[in-house]
Amino acid sequence: MGTSFSSSSTTSLTPTLEANEGEGRTALVTGANSGLGYETAAQLVAVGFTVILGVRSDEKGAATVAALEERLGEQKMAGSLRLSVAILDVSSLSSVRSFAEAFLASDRPLHVLVCNAGIMMGPQRRSADGYDLQFATNYLGHFLLVELLLARLQESALASSSSSSAAPTPSRIVHVSSIAARRGTIRHDDLMHTGKAYSSSGAYCQSKLCQVIYSWHLAKRLLQQQQQQQQQ
């Protein structure tokens, strides 16, 4: 049985954001056209963030903008609804690279990156690059996206703190994983699940575990970087 998400089913799981908390800040949400991605985008734009909707097609982007404009009509009337659409298919490494190249060339800031897009279960499929589609979508594309945008996230945090007398607000990277990561194992000898007995749930759990491992590794790496900078 499928599960649908709406404001009533997800906002209770979302930390309360203060009004105008996102003023002057930009967020990118992958998979922003439905589910948790859509609700996250709605929450962020409602408190003033400029939100970039990462979607796979212009049609999905236009429909998402229309839905958010209808939902947040008062903001639209006030001219404070700041949305833009970016074509970004995280299952395709070339799509990720193309998006990152265009974004970095624009000199736009980035303060929040929500790695939300994902797929679950289903038949065995390959990405355009030949990877297991769940691995490519849930983990690999987001890994590349973070690495390509990391410097911009760091620069944006520094720029925000230097232009304000308030305490610095760090940029944030959010990986939307799953409790299924607890059941995951890394198949080092068959990472792409090319064996004859394909386990859709096994591939999904592995991809979600990879997200968690990368998040821990990245946090450790950034902390070490910060400590080194403080010692200089």
Side-chain angles (χ1 to χ4, degrees), residues 5-84:
F5 294 93
S6 65
S7 58
S8 60
S9 62
T10 58
T11 52
S12 61
L13 304 179
T14 307
T16 302
L17 298 172
E18 299 295 332
N20 302 319
E21 185 175 332
E23 289 296 329
R25 306 181 73 203
T26 299
L28 166 63
V29 182
T30 68
N33 58 290
S34 63
L36 290 172
Y38 174 82
E39 291 299 328
T40 299
Q43 291 285 323
L44 291 172
V45 76
V47 295
F49 276 90
T50 295
V51 177
I52 304 169
L53 307 170
V55 296
R56 290 184 296 166
S57 69
D58 290 322
E59 292 77 15
K60 289 180 181 292
T64 305
V65 169
L68 288 170
E69 288 179 341
E70 180 178 0
R71 176 170 169 172
L72 302 169
E74 291 186 8
Q75 276 186 262
K76 180 182 179 183
M77 293 292 291
S80 59
L81 190 64
R82 291 180 284 272
L83 295 167
S84 63

Side-chain angles (χ1 to χ4, degrees), residues 121 134 183 198-206:
M121 311 303 185
Q134 292 190 90
R183 298 174 56 194
Y198 179 71
S199 170
S200 181
S201 61
Y204 176 75
C205 293
Q206 175 183 255

Side-chain angles (χ1 to χ4, degrees), residues 57-122:
S57 69
D58 290 322
E59 292 77 15
K60 289 180 181 292
T64 305
V65 169
L68 288 170
E69 288 179 341
E70 180 178 0
R71 176 170 169 172
L72 302 169
E74 291 186 8
Q75 276 186 262
K76 180 182 179 183
M77 293 292 291
S80 59
L81 190 64
R82 291 180 284 272
L83 295 167
S84 63
V85 173
I87 303 304
L88 175 56
D89 179 357
V90 292
S91 75
S92 166
L93 299 184
S94 62
S95 176
V96 172
R97 291 186 185 279
S98 294
F99 165 79
E101 182 180 356
F103 182 81
L104 294 175
S106 72
D107 292 328
R108 296 178 69 181
L110 184 62
H111 305 90
V112 176
L113 171 56
V114 182
C115 298
N116 162 79
I119 59 173
M120 181 178 180
M121 311 303 185

Side-chain angles (χ1 to χ4, degrees), residues 114-179:
V114 182
C115 298
N116 162 79
I119 59 173
M120 181 178 180
M121 311 303 185
Q124 185 176 20
R125 292 177 290 171
R126 295 292 172 198
S127 71
D129 305 288
Y131 299 105
D132 176 75
L133 191 60
Q134 292 190 90
F135 184 83
T137 305
N138 299 346
Y139 167 66
L140 191 59
H142 284 125
F143 165 82
L144 179 60
L145 183 66
V146 170
E147 292 297 324
L148 293 175
L149 299 181
L150 185 57
R152 179 60 55 85
L153 283 155
Q154 293 172 309
E155 293 165 2
S156 300
L158 291 173
S160 297
S161 62
S162 64
S163 62
S164 173
S165 58
T169 301
S171 293
R172 296 189 179 277
I173 300 168
V174 179
H175 283 101
V176 181
S177 187
S178 167
I179 196 171

